[in-house]
Amino acid sequence: MNTFNRLVGLTLLLGLLLACGSKPNPEKEEAYQKAASILTADESFYPILDEELYYFQNATLDSITPIYINEQDAVIKLMKLETWLAFTTRNFTEKERQNLIDRKYLPRAIPIAYDGLAIIVNNANPDTCITVKDFRRILKGEVTQWKELYPQSKLGEIDVVFDNPLSSTVRWCVDSILGGQQFSAKNIGAVKTSAAVIDYVEKHDNSLGIIGSNWLNDKRDTTNVTFKKNITVMGVSKMDSAKAYNSWQPYQYYLYNGNYPLRRTIYALLNDPRPNGVASSFAHFVQLPKGQMIILRSGLLPQSANMNVRNVIVNKE
């Protein structure tokens, strides 16, 4: 066999081997596309993520469906590869990260925004300031009656209500307020959603609700300085005694300057194996100026957008 024939034979053999090696796997591709078609998120992020998705899908024509569930189940679906993207208020745990790395993935936790854990009470409640210390005492079950905090109160038992037993608000309070200690007080319960917490607090004078701050804004106010009128947002103080002058509500500026003590980071937990996949594209869209501006307009604090601070007079009448 001459040199030319040997070269032709070698070329054909290499081509055959490469063709066999690159043969697509229909089942693997179908599984990837199915996971790429959805994202999971803690239910408390519904207002902001729906708006982000609206602008993203109009700009790219890509389709991605959000599944709003509790934070724990959102991460479980990510670990099971049922989605490539989950929005949470926590990073990957070391065990989760290593598990994905061992399976040849490259998990990334992308901080996109900050929100405040809001404490809300009924409009009939005259006590509108609370310390972090007293909030902790309530969650630990050391305080169960309003008069134990405010001696003049006539409201009786403090009826504490969360959005969901497995939500980001519950997990954050356990980790960041109680140092990992679980709730045990009988007066602490949960409904199903953030909207249900607001509805419950509006109807029960002695209630105290805990929700994400992006559920608070009155959408009629484009300056984001007006909260919903049907409930009262408590001011929270780092001091030993809560007064009007040292207590802060979860407005953007107080999240920005650190005055509001119950601030959380919102993450996009991304495990998309394709850097140009739909999940990757949406996670990065939220990071870009357009996505950050949407977060700013929602009343949350963007992770990277510039803040323009200006004085605003709020008419509370």
Side-chain angles (χ1 to χ4, degrees):
M1 183 182 292
N2 59 34
T3 302
F4 175 77
N5 288 335
R6 285 199 297 271
L7 287 173
V8 170
L10 181 59
T11 301
L12 290 173
L13 179 60
L14 286 173
L16 182 61
L17 290 173
L18 288 172
C20 292
S22 61
K23 185 177 180 180
N25 183 328
E27 292 183 2
K28 187 175 181 179
E29 179 64 20
E30 182 181 0
Y32 171 83
Q33 294 296 343
K34 184 176 180 180
S37 68
I38 65 171
L39 66 82
T40 58
D42 187 85
E43 178 273 336
S44 64
F45 302 142
Y46 161 76
I48 179 61
L49 286 180
D50 258 26
E51 189 170 358
E52 293 278 6
L53 282 167
Y54 173 80
Y55 285 99
F56 171 76
Q57 292 177 151
N58 279 329
T60 65
L61 300 183
D62 288 325
S63 179
I64 186 166
T65 301
I67 298 177
Y68 297 111
I69 48 181
N70 63 72
E71 184 177 73
Q72 180 172 310
D73 287 342
V75 176
I76 287 174
K77 285 185 176 293
L78 181 72
M79 298 302 297
K80 289 182 175 180
L81 309 183
E82 295 176 13
T83 180
W84 304 117
L85 180 61
F87 287 86
T88 68
T89 57
R90 69 168 178 85
N91 202 330
F92 287 103
T93 66
E94 285 304 314
K95 183 177 180 180
E96 290 166 347
R97 187 184 302 279
Q98 192 58 51
N99 178 281
L100 292 170
I101 292 172
D102 289 344
R103 289 189 278 166
K104 311 303 182 185
Y105 291 100
L106 184 63
R108 288 90 78 199
I110 305 169
I112 62 167
Y114 306 96
D115 82 335
L117 198 74
I119 303 174
I120 62 174
V121 293
N122 187 273
N123 283 342
N125 191 333
D127 300 302
T128 59
C129 297
I130 191 169
T131 65
V132 174
K133 179 180 68 176
D134 284 339
F135 181 48
R136 182 181 296 112
R137 293 171 66 205
I138 291 172
L139 296 182
K140 292 176 72 173
E142 296 174 354
V143 170
T144 59
Q145 302 290 320
W146 282 107
K147 65 181 179 181
E148 295 179 69
L149 298 181
Y150 312 101
Q152 304 302 316
S153 180
K154 300 178 181 179
L155 293 178
E157 186 177 60
I158 304 172
D159 187 5
V160 182
V161 58
F162 281 91
D163 48 354
N164 186 290
L166 301 177
S167 71
S168 64
T169 55
V170 170
R171 198 269 317 155
W172 194 88
C173 283
V174 168
D175 289 352
S176 301
I177 302 298
L178 299 182
Q181 177 183 339
Q182 297 294 326
F183 303 131
S184 59
K186 295 181 180 180
N187 63 316
I188 298 177
V191 282
K192 291 184 178 181
T193 65
S194 299
V197 173
I198 295 173
D199 184 62
Y200 187 92
V201 171
E202 182 182 5
K203 295 175 180 177
H204 296 82
D205 291 358
N206 63 327
S207 60
L208 182 149
I210 299 100
I211 58 173
S213 60
N214 63 321
W215 281 89
L216 298 177
N217 291 331
D218 186 336
K219 299 303 181 183
R220 297 166 296 179
D221 177 17
T222 59
T223 65
N224 289 322
V225 296
T226 304
F227 289 145
K228 293 180 182 294
K229 305 290 188 183
N230 55 333
I231 46 89
T232 297
V233 181
M234 297 194 86
V236 183
S237 176
K238 303 174 186 177
M239 303 294 106
D240 290 334
S241 179
K243 306 295 181 183
Y245 64 82
N246 67 12
S247 301
W248 312 93
Q249 294 174 313
Y251 289 114
Q252 282 173 321
Y253 180 62
Y254 299 141
L255 295 173
Y256 173 71
N257 69 8
N259 279 347
Y260 191 72
L262 307 181
R263 192 179 88 162
R264 319 183 288 179
T265 304
I266 300 174
Y267 292 94
L269 300 186
L270 182 65
N271 192 44
D272 192 346
R274 301 183 183 179
N276 295 320
V278 176
S280 294
S281 297
F282 180 63
H284 295 308
F285 171 83
V286 178
Q287 283 185 293
L288 294 173
K290 177 71 173 181
Q292 292 286 285
M293 184 58 65
I294 293 169
I295 290 172
L296 182 67
R297 290 204 311 264
S298 77
L300 300 186
L301 178 65
Q303 195 275 334
S304 61
N306 293 326
M307 287 285 292
N308 294 318
V309 179
R310 60 184 184 273
N311 293 325
V312 177
I313 297 175
V314 179
N315 185 355
K316 295 187 177 181
E317 294 182 359

